[in-house]
């Protein structure tokens, strides 16, 4: 800690590495949370899925993809040798959320487009930072 109570930059970590850590942990966390909501059949998930035309039977598979993405992101952070796995996981999440945006646009459901847009943005940021580090 510095004299003002703000944590000092960890020894040996660059700004990109810190950004990678923060953004990737956030991305993994929100995807694990969304997977839990999918598996629990949360009312909001069921309503949104029905509105955009995603069959309820797809939810466990979509949850598995989100959980796999989260796990891959975390493994990519754990060891630099596994960084390509993290990049692949982030790329998979990018594709998943591009699909989600396509479903929203196809169904003309624009009122909540920000949610898949946010998840896409975090996956893109995780991918970019993984590649840059």
């Amino acid at each position: 800690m510095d004299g003002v109570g703000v944590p000092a930059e960890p020894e040996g970590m660059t700004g990109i590495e810190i950004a990678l850590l923060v953004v990737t942990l956030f991305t993994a966390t929100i995807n694990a949370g969304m997977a839990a909501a999918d598996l629990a059949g949360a009312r909001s998930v069921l309503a949104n899925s029905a509105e955009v035309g995603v069959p309820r039977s797809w939810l466990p598979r979509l949850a598995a993809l989100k959980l796999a993405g989260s796990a891959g992101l975390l493994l990519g952070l754990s060891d630099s040798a596994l960084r390509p796995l993290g990049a692949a996981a982030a790329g998979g999440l990018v594709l998943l959320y591009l699909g989600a945006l396509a479903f929203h646009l196809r169904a003309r459901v624009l009122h909540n487009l920000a949610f898949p847009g946010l998840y896409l943005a975090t996956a893109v940021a995780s991918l970019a930072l993984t590649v840059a580090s």
Side-chain angles (χ1 to χ4, degrees), residues 56-111:
R56 189 173 184 168
S57 63
W58 288 15
L59 293 179
R61 292 177 189 93
L62 292 172
L65 292 172
K66 292 170 189 172
L67 286 173
S70 292
L73 289 172
L74 294 174
L75 286 170
L77 283 178
S78 71
D79 188 335
S80 61
L82 295 174
R83 196 67 45 90
L85 177 63
L93 290 171
V94 166
L95 294 175
L96 176 72
Y97 290 114
L98 285 173
L101 286 173
F103 266 77
H104 278 256
L105 294 172
R106 179 186 57 96
R108 300 185 201 283
V109 177
L110 307 179
H111 66 89

Side-chain angles (χ1 to χ4, degrees), residues 19-20 22-32 34 65-66 68-70 72-74 77 83-101 114-132:
L20 171 67
V22 171
V23 170
T24 302
L25 286 174
F26 179 69
T27 303
T29 300
I30 63 172
N31 277 282
M34 284 306 304
L65 292 172
K66 292 170 189 172
S70 292
L73 289 172
L74 294 174
L77 283 178
R83 196 67 45 90
L85 177 63
L93 290 171
V94 166
L95 294 175
L96 176 72
Y97 290 114
L98 285 173
L101 286 173
F115 290 104
L118 169 70
Y119 303 133
L120 173 63
T122 64
V124 167
S126 293
L127 177 59
L129 288 166
T130 299
V131 170

